[in-house]
Amino acid sequence: MMLGKITPFFFFFILAFLITPFPVMGLEYPLHPAWEVPLVPSDNPANLSPVLHVAEEGRLISLNYPYSPDFFVYDGNGTLLFNKTLTAEKIPWVSSITPVPDGTGIVITQLVPGCCHGSVSNTTSNKVTFYDRSGRIVWDYVTYQPPLASAVLPNTGDIVVGTEDGRIIGLDRNGSVRWTTVVDAPVLSFAASADGSTLVAAGDSNYDSWIHYGERLSPYDLFFLDGTGSILGKYQTRGQNTVAVSRNGSVIAVIGGRFGNLMMFNRTGTMTGERSFPGAGTALDISDDGTRLVVETSEGRVYALDGKMQEIVSLPGEPGQRIAVSDTGDVLARGGNWNITLYRIATGENLGTVQAGSGVRFISAVPGTGSFVISTGQKMSFFTMTTGKPYQESVRDTASPAGLPVTSTPFPEVVVITALGVCSILHRVVNKGK
């Protein structure tokens, strides 16, 4: 019979055929690691999450920890340019960091913490400092009252600082005051449009202290300004707010208030819509054109919405994950305990998962690049993004960059063992046939 004619030559031929690498069609890794660096140890006894701040196109990346005097500045390739520890009459905090969009410098605000809660007032250690890329101090501006927030307006390069006593100060690149606007709440954060036309200041409404201790309630806690500091509108949410602004300033999204609802405003502070979720909103991002909104809620579910707040898709998940929307507005990145997963916002399609090595504590889209930068407790990583481009992969070329999973090919050892097993089975069949 035919099986009886199989010779050792044919066994050798079968073995060689099975272990020869052939091109295998697959999908690219959704994220490619461009670089990663270990985080410089910091005096961070509370093990708080690092916070990243990224200049346009990733030209400069800064990192700091809440309630710490330390900060670190990297170039776009992950090289540590410098790190500093702030000093004062009492250990100060880095209260905000803002890289200049062109990557030529970085703005640091520092405050001196007070006893129990609050901060020390009327001290020259409460100030704004501009550092160049080498870590040299270019200038200081003393605010006396604690500065809590900062931003840089991309069109003019003006530096905006918010203070505990409700001042919003516009400084030029040389540290000279261009304008000052007074609002009726401490300024906790800023969000500015990329064209510099719209600035939103989120203030402290003091709602909890008003309820529990009868302290003064701030009349407003959202302030809408143009790039020259003129107030365009005000609103009261009676809570703390997270704000996102579209690139041209026409769409402003706010998560906050005492219910954690999503609110939409135009640039003059007129509410154009409001939406609630089963859980309070905890994180927010917006696409450059304002047509895509992503909200994460306290129970861990993520909602992708269009510009009219209509649901596109919702994704289940665990509470406490980190989210970011690509600057094109079509991809959601979500950081979990050990990995990063990409989703196509229009459909909810899972584009793939890559390993982060440990829990993702911060994730941000890098403006103008289609990339993401993340931090875990141990390292900072920069990923470029692809979304399903076919590629050729060889069976023998199974090296996975930075520990990322190989998508479709087995290890060579497995192929060889499988081939030997097949040959053994054929050998038995041949002997049985004889």
Side-chain angles (χ1 to χ4, degrees):
M1 59 187 297
M2 192 67 180
L3 287 174
K5 295 181 181 181
I6 294 179
T7 66
F9 170 78
F10 288 102
F11 281 112
F12 175 79
F13 175 80
I14 293 170
L15 178 62
F17 177 82
L18 288 171
I19 66 175
T20 298
F22 292 95
V24 179
M25 291 302 293
L27 293 178
E28 282 190 349
Y29 308 118
L31 291 173
H32 297 269
W35 52 259
E36 63 180 35
V37 295
L39 297 185
V40 178
S42 173
D43 182 16
N44 183 27
N47 194 30
L48 295 170
S49 296
V51 181
L52 304 181
H53 313 266
V54 187
E56 286 282 339
E57 298 182 4
R59 297 183 182 103
L60 205 67
I61 301 172
S62 66
L63 181 147
N64 71 293
Y65 295 88
Y67 316 117
S68 168
D70 302 323
F71 67 95
F72 309 87
V73 180
Y74 301 83
D75 69 11
N77 296 316
T79 300
L80 179 65
L81 297 176
F82 66 92
N83 64 283
K84 300 284 185 180
T85 299
L86 303 178
T87 59
E89 62 268 26
K90 183 180 178 181
I91 296 176
W93 294 342
V94 175
S95 53
S96 73
I97 295 184
T98 304
V100 176
D102 62 11
T104 57
I106 192 164
V107 177
I108 305 290
T109 65
Q110 73 173 53
L111 64 80
V112 180
C115 175
C116 306
H117 75 281
S119 51
V120 176
S121 299
N122 199 28
T123 171
T124 56
S125 296
N126 290 326
K127 60 184 179 180
V128 186
T129 304
F130 188 96
Y131 293 85
D132 66 16
R133 287 178 66 92
S134 70
R136 179 179 67 92
I137 294 177
V138 180
W139 52 260
D140 286 321
Y141 177 82
V142 175
T143 59
Y144 294 101
Q145 299 300 316
L148 305 179
S150 61
V152 176
L153 301 182
N155 60 332
T156 62
D158 284 356
I159 295 153
V160 183
V161 179
T163 64
E164 192 173 77
D165 62 343
R167 286 176 295 150
I168 301 176
I169 306 166
L171 305 169
D172 66 18
R173 283 288 293 268
N174 297 315
S176 298
V177 177
R178 291 174 61 92
W179 50 265
T180 299
T181 299
V182 178
V183 296
D184 45 22
V187 179
L188 301 179
S189 64
F190 289 115
S193 62
D195 66 1
S197 65
T198 305
L199 176 70
V200 183
D204 184 358
S205 70
N206 206 35
Y207 179 76
D208 289 338
S209 295
W210 177 64
I211 289 293
H212 297 294
Y213 307 111
E215 294 183 3
R216 174 182 176 271
L217 178 69
S218 301
Y220 300 98
D221 48 45
L222 278 176
F223 306 94
F224 305 82
L225 302 91
D226 66 14
T228 66
S230 297
I231 295 179
L232 304 175
K234 303 177 183 180
Y235 194 85
Q236 185 187 68
T237 69
R238 295 191 179 182
Q240 292 192 2
N241 303 292
T242 300
V243 183
V245 184
S246 65
R247 191 172 187 86
N248 66 2
S250 63
V251 180
I252 297 164
V254 178
I255 280 285
R258 57 194 184 278
F259 302 118
N261 289 346
L262 172 66
M263 295 164 280
M264 295 276 287
F265 297 87
N266 63 24
R267 66 188 303 267
T268 62
T270 300
M271 182 185 285
T272 58
E274 184 175 13
R275 176 173 179 145
S276 62
F277 302 94
T282 56
L284 171 69
D285 206 347
I286 191 171
S287 62
D288 278 358
D289 62 3
T291 62
R292 293 288 187 272
L293 296 167
V294 176
V295 176
E296 185 172 42
T297 59
S298 55
E299 82 274 16
R301 182 169 286 274
V302 172
Y303 296 85
L305 311 170
D306 64 19
K308 297 181 179 179
M309 293 200 294
Q310 297 301 307
E311 183 176 310
I312 300 171
V313 69
S314 67
L315 304 166
E318 297 297 325
Q321 293 188 336
R322 306 296 192 264
I323 62 171
V325 178
S326 64
D327 49 10
T328 56
D330 58 346
V331 174
L332 163 69
R334 192 175 192 185
N337 289 332
W338 294 93
N339 52 49
I340 309 164
T341 302
L342 295 186
Y343 299 91
R344 196 180 305 280
I345 291 178
T347 62
E349 174 192 358
N350 186 324
L351 298 174
T353 297
V354 294
Q355 297 172 359
S358 59
V360 176
R361 296 191 175 187
F362 190 95
I363 184 167
S364 175
V366 181
T369 65
S371 304
F372 294 93
V373 62
I374 74 158
S375 67
T376 66
Q378 293 77 40
K379 65 182 180 180
M380 178 172 63
S381 304
F382 192 104
F383 292 89
T384 58
M385 180 176 64
T386 57
T387 54
K389 177 183 175 183
Y391 80 120
Q392 295 283 330
E393 182 179 62
S394 168
V395 169
R396 287 184 179 175
D397 184 17
T398 57
S400 175
L404 298 182
V406 177
T407 55
S408 60
T409 56
F411 293 102
E413 293 85 352
V414 175
V415 176
V416 172
I417 292 170
T418 303
L420 292 175
V422 171
C423 290
S424 175
I425 293 171
L426 286 174
H427 181 69
R428 291 180 183 178
V429 170
V430 169
N431 289 338
K432 185 176 181 180
K434 291 179 178 181

PDB file of all heavy atoms in Angstrom, residues 142-176:
ATOM      1  N   VAL A 142       6.161  86.396  42.472  1.00  0.00           N
ATOM      2  CA  VAL A 142       5.615  86.109  43.799  1.00  0.00           C
ATOM      3  C   VAL A 142       4.137  86.469  43.828  1.00  0.00           C
ATOM      4  O   VAL A 142       3.744  87.593  43.463  1.00  0.00           O
ATOM      5  CB  VAL A 142       6.379  86.898  44.886  1.00  0.00           C
ATOM      6  CG1 VAL A 142       5.728  86.679  46.252  1.00  0.00           C
ATOM      7  CG2 VAL A 142       7.843  86.465  44.925  1.00  0.00           C
ATOM      8  N   THR A 143       3.294  85.502  44.235  1.00  0.00           N
ATOM      9  CA  THR A 143       1.849  85.735  44.330  1.00  0.00           C
ATOM     10  C   THR A 143       1.409  86.038  45.761  1.00  0.00           C
ATOM     11  O   THR A 143       0.278  86.451  45.973  1.00  0.00           O
ATOM     12  CB  THR A 143       1.074  84.501  43.824  1.00  0.00           C
ATOM     13  OG1 THR A 143       1.442  83.353  44.609  1.00  0.00           O
ATOM     14  CG2 THR A 143       1.388  84.225  42.356  1.00  0.00           C
ATOM     15  N   TYR A 144       2.276  85.794  46.740  1.00  0.00           N
ATOM     16  CA  TYR A 144       1.991  85.972  48.162  1.00  0.00           C
ATOM     17  C   TYR A 144       0.899  85.018  48.632  1.00  0.00           C
ATOM     18  O   TYR A 144       1.118  84.174  49.497  1.00  0.00           O
ATOM     19  CB  TYR A 144       1.628  87.434  48.485  1.00  0.00           C
ATOM     20  CG  TYR A 144       2.794  88.362  48.266  1.00  0.00           C
ATOM     21  CD1 TYR A 144       2.883  89.145  47.117  1.00  0.00           C
ATOM     22  CD2 TYR A 144       3.818  88.451  49.212  1.00  0.00           C
ATOM     23  CE1 TYR A 144       3.966  89.997  46.914  1.00  0.00           C
ATOM     24  CE2 TYR A 144       4.917  89.295  49.010  1.00  0.00           C
ATOM     25  CZ  TYR A 144       4.977  90.064  47.865  1.00  0.00           C
ATOM     26  OH  TYR A 144       6.044  90.886  47.658  1.00  0.00           O
ATOM     27  N   GLN A 145      -0.307  85.141  48.072  1.00  0.00           N
ATOM     28  CA  GLN A 145      -1.337  84.148  48.370  1.00  0.00           C
ATOM     29  C   GLN A 145      -1.040  82.886  47.556  1.00  0.00           C
ATOM     30  O   GLN A 145      -0.479  82.963  46.463  1.00  0.00           O
ATOM     31  CB  GLN A 145      -2.716  84.694  48.035  1.00  0.00           C
ATOM     32  CG  GLN A 145      -3.104  85.937  48.825  1.00  0.00           C
ATOM     33  CD  GLN A 145      -3.130  85.682  50.319  1.00  0.00           C
ATOM     34  OE1 GLN A 145      -3.652  84.666  50.775  1.00  0.00           O
ATOM     35  NE2 GLN A 145      -2.564  86.604  51.102  1.00  0.00           N
ATOM     36  N   PRO A 146      -1.422  81.711  48.072  1.00  0.00           N
ATOM     37  CA  PRO A 146      -1.027  80.453  47.415  1.00  0.00           C
ATOM     38  C   PRO A 146      -1.545  80.339  45.980  1.00  0.00           C
ATOM     39  O   PRO A 146      -2.751  80.499  45.737  1.00  0.00           O
ATOM     40  CB  PRO A 146      -1.665  79.384  48.303  1.00  0.00           C
ATOM     41  CG  PRO A 146      -1.806  80.035  49.633  1.00  0.00           C
ATOM     42  CD  PRO A 146      -2.110  81.467  49.349  1.00  0.00           C
ATOM     43  N   PRO A 147      -0.661  80.063  45.008  1.00  0.00           N
ATOM     44  CA  PRO A 147      -1.115  79.759  43.639  1.00  0.00           C
ATOM     45  C   PRO A 147      -1.515  78.296  43.553  1.00  0.00           C
ATOM     46  O   PRO A 147      -0.789  77.409  44.018  1.00  0.00           O
ATOM     47  CB  PRO A 147       0.128  80.063  42.800  1.00  0.00           C
ATOM     48  CG  PRO A 147       1.277  79.756  43.705  1.00  0.00           C
ATOM     49  CD  PRO A 147       0.807  80.054  45.105  1.00  0.00           C
ATOM     50  N   LEU A 148      -2.669  78.022  42.962  1.00  0.00           N
ATOM     51  CA  LEU A 148      -3.203  76.659  42.933  1.00  0.00           C
ATOM     52  C   LEU A 148      -3.216  76.045  41.545  1.00  0.00           C
ATOM     53  O   LEU A 148      -3.288  74.824  41.423  1.00  0.00           O
ATOM     54  CB  LEU A 148      -4.641  76.656  43.479  1.00  0.00           C
ATOM     55  CG  LEU A 148      -4.857  77.259  44.871  1.00  0.00           C
ATOM     56  CD1 LEU A 148      -6.332  77.190  45.246  1.00  0.00           C
ATOM     57  CD2 LEU A 148      -3.990  76.570  45.910  1.00  0.00           C
ATOM     58  N   ALA A 149      -3.172  76.869  40.496  1.00  0.00           N
ATOM     59  CA  ALA A 149      -3.347  76.333  39.140  1.00  0.00           C
ATOM     60  C   ALA A 149      -2.592  77.212  38.156  1.00  0.00           C
ATOM     61  O   ALA A 149      -2.327  78.392  38.417  1.00  0.00           O
ATOM     62  CB  ALA A 149      -4.833  76.288  38.780  1.00  0.00           C
ATOM     63  N   SER A 150      -2.277  76.618  36.987  1.00  0.00           N
ATOM     64  CA  SER A 150      -1.614  77.383  35.923  1.00  0.00           C
ATOM     65  C   SER A 150      -2.003  76.816  34.574  1.00  0.00           C
ATOM     66  O   SER A 150      -2.454  75.668  34.455  1.00  0.00           O
ATOM     67  CB  SER A 150      -0.091  77.350  36.089  1.00  0.00           C
ATOM     68  OG  SER A 150       0.403  76.026  36.021  1.00  0.00           O
ATOM     69  N   ALA A 151      -1.823  77.636  33.548  1.00  0.00           N
ATOM     70  CA  ALA A 151      -2.060  77.225  32.168  1.00  0.00           C
ATOM     71  C   ALA A 151      -1.235  78.138  31.279  1.00  0.00           C
ATOM     72  O   ALA A 151      -0.826  79.225  31.691  1.00  0.00           O
ATOM     73  CB  ALA A 151      -3.547  77.326  31.807  1.00  0.00           C
ATOM     74  N   VAL A 152      -0.973  77.679  30.048  1.00  0.00           N
ATOM     75  CA  VAL A 152      -0.299  78.505  29.051  1.00  0.00           C
ATOM     76  C   VAL A 152      -1.219  78.604  27.839  1.00  0.00           C
ATOM     77  O   VAL A 152      -1.693  77.586  27.321  1.00  0.00           O
ATOM     78  CB  VAL A 152       1.061  77.910  28.639  1.00  0.00           C
ATOM     79  CG1 VAL A 152       1.682  78.740  27.523  1.00  0.00           C
ATOM     80  CG2 VAL A 152       2.007  77.857  29.839  1.00  0.00           C
ATOM     81  N   LEU A 153      -1.497  79.828  27.399  1.00  0.00           N
ATOM     82  CA  LEU A 153      -2.349  80.028  26.226  1.00  0.00           C
ATOM     83  C   LEU A 153      -1.501  79.856  24.969  1.00  0.00           C
ATOM     84  O   LEU A 153      -0.541  80.613  24.752  1.00  0.00           O
ATOM     85  CB  LEU A 153      -2.977  81.419  26.258  1.00  0.00           C
ATOM     86  CG  LEU A 153      -3.836  81.725  27.502  1.00  0.00           C
ATOM     87  CD1 LEU A 153      -4.447  83.113  27.396  1.00  0.00           C
ATOM     88  CD2 LEU A 153      -4.919  80.677  27.697  1.00  0.00           C
ATOM     89  N   PRO A 154      -1.824  78.870  24.128  1.00  0.00           N
ATOM     90  CA  PRO A 154      -0.945  78.531  23.008  1.00  0.00           C
ATOM     91  C   PRO A 154      -0.752  79.656  21.994  1.00  0.00           C
ATOM     92  O   PRO A 154       0.323  79.786  21.414  1.00  0.00           O
ATOM     93  CB  PRO A 154      -1.651  77.328  22.372  1.00  0.00           C
ATOM     94  CG  PRO A 154      -2.503  76.753  23.447  1.00  0.00           C
ATOM     95  CD  PRO A 154      -2.948  77.927  24.247  1.00  0.00           C
ATOM     96  N   ASN A 155      -1.779  80.479  21.760  1.00  0.00           N
ATOM     97  CA  ASN A 155      -1.663  81.485  20.697  1.00  0.00           C
ATOM     98  C   ASN A 155      -0.763  82.650  21.088  1.00  0.00           C
ATOM     99  O   ASN A 155      -0.067  83.223  20.249  1.00  0.00           O
ATOM    100  CB  ASN A 155      -3.047  81.988  20.285  1.00  0.00           C
ATOM    101  CG  ASN A 155      -3.793  82.638  21.442  1.00  0.00           C
ATOM    102  OD1 ASN A 155      -3.564  82.300  22.605  1.00  0.00           O
ATOM    103  ND2 ASN A 155      -4.689  83.555  21.134  1.00  0.00           N
ATOM    104  N   THR A 156      -0.756  83.012  22.361  1.00  0.00           N
ATOM    105  CA  THR A 156       0.052  84.147  22.808  1.00  0.00           C
ATOM    106  C   THR A 156       1.252  83.743  23.641  1.00  0.00           C
ATOM    107  O   THR A 156       2.193  84.524  23.786  1.00  0.00           O
ATOM    108  CB  THR A 156      -0.805  85.118  23.643  1.00  0.00           C
ATOM    109  OG1 THR A 156      -1.284  84.431  24.814  1.00  0.00           O
ATOM    110  CG2 THR A 156      -1.994  85.624  22.833  1.00  0.00           C
ATOM    111  N   GLY A 157       1.204  82.534  24.212  1.00  0.00           N
ATOM    112  CA  GLY A 157       2.254  82.134  25.142  1.00  0.00           C
ATOM    113  C   GLY A 157       2.087  82.727  26.516  1.00  0.00           C
ATOM    114  O   GLY A 157       2.945  82.536  27.395  1.00  0.00           O
ATOM    115  N   ASP A 158       0.975  83.456  26.753  1.00  0.00           N
ATOM    116  CA  ASP A 158       0.732  84.016  28.079  1.00  0.00           C
ATOM    117  C   ASP A 158       0.556  82.904  29.102  1.00  0.00           C
ATOM    118  O   ASP A 158      -0.026  81.842  28.803  1.00  0.00           O
ATOM    119  CB  ASP A 158      -0.524  84.899  28.072  1.00  0.00           C
ATOM    120  CG  ASP A 158      -0.287  86.252  27.428  1.00  0.00           C
ATOM    121  OD1 ASP A 158       0.869  86.530  27.060  1.00  0.00           O
ATOM    122  OD2 ASP A 158      -1.265  87.011  27.284  1.00  0.00           O
ATOM    123  N   ILE A 159       1.027  83.162  30.293  1.00  0.00           N
ATOM    124  CA  ILE A 159       0.930  82.208  31.396  1.00  0.00           C
ATOM    125  C   ILE A 159      -0.167  82.686  32.334  1.00  0.00           C
ATOM    126  O   ILE A 159      -0.177  83.852  32.753  1.00  0.00           O
ATOM    127  CB  ILE A 159       2.276  82.099  32.131  1.00  0.00           C
ATOM    128  CG1 ILE A 159       3.326  81.511  31.174  1.00  0.00           C
ATOM    129  CG2 ILE A 159       2.150  81.255  33.386  1.00  0.00           C
ATOM    130  CD1 ILE A 159       4.724  81.924  31.481  1.00  0.00           C
ATOM    131  N   VAL A 160      -1.107  81.808  32.636  1.00  0.00           N
ATOM    132  CA  VAL A 160      -2.248  82.164  33.474  1.00  0.00           C
ATOM    133  C   VAL A 160      -2.116  81.421  34.798  1.00  0.00           C
ATOM    134  O   VAL A 160      -1.865  80.213  34.824  1.00  0.00           O
ATOM    135  CB  VAL A 160      -3.572  81.793  32.781  1.00  0.00           C
ATOM    136  CG1 VAL A 160      -4.748  82.221  33.627  1.00  0.00           C
ATOM    137  CG2 VAL A 160      -3.649  82.450  31.407  1.00  0.00           C
ATOM    138  N   VAL A 161      -2.286  82.143  35.896  1.00  0.00           N
ATOM    139  CA  VAL A 161      -2.138  81.577  37.243  1.00  0.00           C
ATOM    140  C   VAL A 161      -3.398  81.876  38.037  1.00  0.00           C
ATOM    141  O   VAL A 161      -3.916  83.005  38.004  1.00  0.00           O
ATOM    142  CB  VAL A 161      -0.902  82.174  37.958  1.00  0.00           C
ATOM    143  CG1 VAL A 161      -0.776  81.601  39.360  1.00  0.00           C
ATOM    144  CG2 VAL A 161       0.362  81.917  37.156  1.00  0.00           C
ATOM    145  N   GLY A 162      -3.908  80.867  38.754  1.00  0.00           N
ATOM    146  CA  GLY A 162      -5.058  81.045  39.626  1.00  0.00           C
ATOM    147  C   GLY A 162      -4.645  80.899  41.076  1.00  0.00           C
ATOM    148  O   GLY A 162      -3.843  80.022  41.425  1.00  0.00           O
ATOM    149  N   THR A 163      -5.165  81.752  41.948  1.00  0.00           N
ATOM    150  CA  THR A 163      -4.743  81.772  43.341  1.00  0.00           C
ATOM    151  C   THR A 163      -5.880  81.424  44.289  1.00  0.00           C
ATOM    152  O   THR A 163      -7.059  81.412  43.911  1.00  0.00           O
ATOM    153  CB  THR A 163      -4.184  83.156  43.717  1.00  0.00           C
ATOM    154  OG1 THR A 163      -5.242  84.121  43.614  1.00  0.00           O
ATOM    155  CG2 THR A 163      -3.036  83.551  42.796  1.00  0.00           C
ATOM    156  N   GLU A 164      -5.495  81.204  45.546  1.00  0.00           N
ATOM    157  CA  GLU A 164      -6.462  80.825  46.569  1.00  0.00           C
ATOM    158  C   GLU A 164      -7.411  81.972  46.897  1.00  0.00           C
ATOM    159  O   GLU A 164      -8.550  81.741  47.326  1.00  0.00           O
ATOM    160  CB  GLU A 164      -5.722  80.365  47.827  1.00  0.00           C
ATOM    161  CG  GLU A 164      -6.584  79.684  48.851  1.00  0.00           C
ATOM    162  CD  GLU A 164      -5.762  79.111  49.994  1.00  0.00           C
ATOM    163  OE1 GLU A 164      -5.325  79.893  50.858  1.00  0.00           O
ATOM    164  OE2 GLU A 164      -5.545  77.878  49.997  1.00  0.00           O
ATOM    165  N   ASP A 165      -6.962  83.196  46.710  1.00  0.00           N
ATOM    166  CA  ASP A 165      -7.824  84.343  47.014  1.00  0.00           C
ATOM    167  C   ASP A 165      -8.626  84.806  45.799  1.00  0.00           C
ATOM    168  O   ASP A 165      -9.162  85.924  45.790  1.00  0.00           O
ATOM    169  CB  ASP A 165      -7.014  85.497  47.601  1.00  0.00           C
ATOM    170  CG  ASP A 165      -5.958  86.031  46.650  1.00  0.00           C
ATOM    171  OD1 ASP A 165      -5.628  85.314  45.673  1.00  0.00           O
ATOM    172  OD2 ASP A 165      -5.448  87.143  46.876  1.00  0.00           O
ATOM    173  N   GLY A 166      -8.719  83.970  44.749  1.00  0.00           N
ATOM    174  CA  GLY A 166      -9.621  84.234  43.642  1.00  0.00           C
ATOM    175  C   GLY A 166      -9.078  85.153  42.567  1.00  0.00           C
ATOM    176  O   GLY A 166      -9.853  85.700  41.787  1.00  0.00           O
ATOM    177  N   ARG A 167      -7.761  85.306  42.475  1.00  0.00           N
ATOM    178  CA  ARG A 167      -7.190  86.092  41.384  1.00  0.00           C
ATOM    179  C   ARG A 167      -6.797  85.175  40.227  1.00  0.00           C
ATOM    180  O   ARG A 167      -6.292  84.067  40.439  1.00  0.00           O
ATOM    181  CB  ARG A 167      -5.957  86.859  41.850  1.00  0.00           C
ATOM    182  CG  ARG A 167      -6.247  88.069  42.724  1.00  0.00           C
ATOM    183  CD  ARG A 167      -4.958  88.703  43.207  1.00  0.00           C
ATOM    184  NE  ARG A 167      -4.239  87.803  44.090  1.00  0.00           N
ATOM    185  CZ  ARG A 167      -2.903  87.775  44.229  1.00  0.00           C
ATOM    186  NH1 ARG A 167      -2.152  88.598  43.504  1.00  0.00           N
ATOM    187  NH2 ARG A 167      -2.333  86.946  45.074  1.00  0.00           N
ATOM    188  N   ILE A 168      -7.042  85.650  39.023  1.00  0.00           N
ATOM    189  CA  ILE A 168      -6.526  85.010  37.815  1.00  0.00           C
ATOM    190  C   ILE A 168      -5.570  86.017  37.185  1.00  0.00           C
ATOM    191  O   ILE A 168      -5.975  87.119  36.806  1.00  0.00           O
ATOM    192  CB  ILE A 168      -7.653  84.628  36.846  1.00  0.00           C
ATOM    193  CG1 ILE A 168      -8.645  83.677  37.531  1.00  0.00           C
ATOM    194  CG2 ILE A 168      -7.076  83.987  35.589  1.00  0.00           C
ATOM    195  CD1 ILE A 168      -9.844  83.331  36.679  1.00  0.00           C
ATOM    196  N   ILE A 169      -4.301  85.646  37.125  1.00  0.00           N
ATOM    197  CA  ILE A 169      -3.241  86.566  36.720  1.00  0.00           C
ATOM    198  C   ILE A 169      -2.689  86.122  35.379  1.00  0.00           C
ATOM    199  O   ILE A 169      -2.286  84.961  35.217  1.00  0.00           O
ATOM    200  CB  ILE A 169      -2.111  86.585  37.768  1.00  0.00           C
ATOM    201  CG1 ILE A 169      -2.673  86.897  39.152  1.00  0.00           C
ATOM    202  CG2 ILE A 169      -1.029  87.602  37.375  1.00  0.00           C
ATOM    203  CD1 ILE A 169      -1.694  86.616  40.282  1.00  0.00           C
ATOM    204  N   GLY A 170      -2.669  87.033  34.406  1.00  0.00           N
ATOM    205  CA  GLY A 170      -2.077  86.751  33.102  1.00  0.00           C
ATOM    206  C   GLY A 170      -0.678  87.341  33.033  1.00  0.00           C
ATOM    207  O   GLY A 170      -0.501  88.558  33.175  1.00  0.00           O
ATOM    208  N   LEU A 171       0.344  86.487  32.830  1.00  0.00           N
ATOM    209  CA  LEU A 171       1.730  86.916  32.738  1.00  0.00           C
ATOM    210  C   LEU A 171       2.248  86.685  31.332  1.00  0.00           C
ATOM    211  O   LEU A 171       1.861  85.704  30.677  1.00  0.00           O
ATOM    212  CB  LEU A 171       2.608  86.128  33.724  1.00  0.00           C
ATOM    213  CG  LEU A 171       2.193  86.133  35.198  1.00  0.00           C
ATOM    214  CD1 LEU A 171       3.008  85.093  35.975  1.00  0.00           C
ATOM    215  CD2 LEU A 171       2.382  87.510  35.798  1.00  0.00           C
ATOM    216  N   ASP A 172       3.145  87.544  30.853  1.00  0.00           N
ATOM    217  CA  ASP A 172       3.775  87.260  29.568  1.00  0.00           C
ATOM    218  C   ASP A 172       4.963  86.321  29.776  1.00  0.00           C
ATOM    219  O   ASP A 172       5.265  85.906  30.901  1.00  0.00           O
ATOM    220  CB  ASP A 172       4.176  88.544  28.845  1.00  0.00           C
ATOM    221  CG  ASP A 172       5.275  89.331  29.565  1.00  0.00           C
ATOM    222  OD1 ASP A 172       5.979  88.758  30.419  1.00  0.00           O
ATOM    223  OD2 ASP A 172       5.426  90.528  29.263  1.00  0.00           O
ATOM    224  N   ARG A 173       5.664  85.966  28.696  1.00  0.00           N
ATOM    225  CA  ARG A 173       6.756  84.991  28.795  1.00  0.00           C
ATOM    226  C   ARG A 173       7.938  85.506  29.612  1.00  0.00           C
ATOM    227  O   ARG A 173       8.815  84.736  29.990  1.00  0.00           O
ATOM    228  CB  ARG A 173       7.221  84.584  27.393  1.00  0.00           C
ATOM    229  CG  ARG A 173       6.297  83.606  26.696  1.00  0.00           C
ATOM    230  CD  ARG A 173       6.370  82.225  27.316  1.00  0.00           C
ATOM    231  NE  ARG A 173       7.659  81.604  27.089  1.00  0.00           N
ATOM    232  CZ  ARG A 173       7.953  80.810  26.061  1.00  0.00           C
ATOM    233  NH1 ARG A 173       7.034  80.553  25.153  1.00  0.00           N
ATOM    234  NH2 ARG A 173       9.145  80.275  25.945  1.00  0.00           N
ATOM    235  N   ASN A 174       7.964  86.801  29.893  1.00  0.00           N
ATOM    236  CA  ASN A 174       9.029  87.365  30.720  1.00  0.00           C
ATOM    237  C   ASN A 174       8.623  87.518  32.179  1.00  0.00           C
ATOM    238  O   ASN A 174       9.389  88.049  32.986  1.00  0.00           O
ATOM    239  CB  ASN A 174       9.448  88.741  30.166  1.00  0.00           C
ATOM    240  CG  ASN A 174      10.023  88.633  28.773  1.00  0.00           C
ATOM    241  OD1 ASN A 174      10.843  87.769  28.483  1.00  0.00           O
ATOM    242  ND2 ASN A 174       9.569  89.535  27.893  1.00  0.00           N
ATOM    243  N   GLY A 175       7.403  87.075  32.507  1.00  0.00           N
ATOM    244  CA  GLY A 175       6.952  87.142  33.892  1.00  0.00           C
ATOM    245  C   GLY A 175       6.330  88.454  34.285  1.00  0.00           C
ATOM    246  O   GLY A 175       6.071  88.698  35.472  1.00  0.00           O
ATOM    247  N   SER A 176       6.060  89.339  33.313  1.00  0.00           N
ATOM    248  CA  SER A 176       5.408  90.617  33.606  1.00  0.00           C
ATOM    249  C   SER A 176       3.898  90.459  33.548  1.00  0.00           C
ATOM    250  O   SER A 176       3.369  89.719  32.698  1.00  0.00           O
ATOM    251  CB  SER A 176       5.855  91.677  32.597  1.00  0.00           C
ATOM    252  OG  SER A 176       7.260  91.889  32.679  1.00  0.00           O
TER     253      SER A 176
END
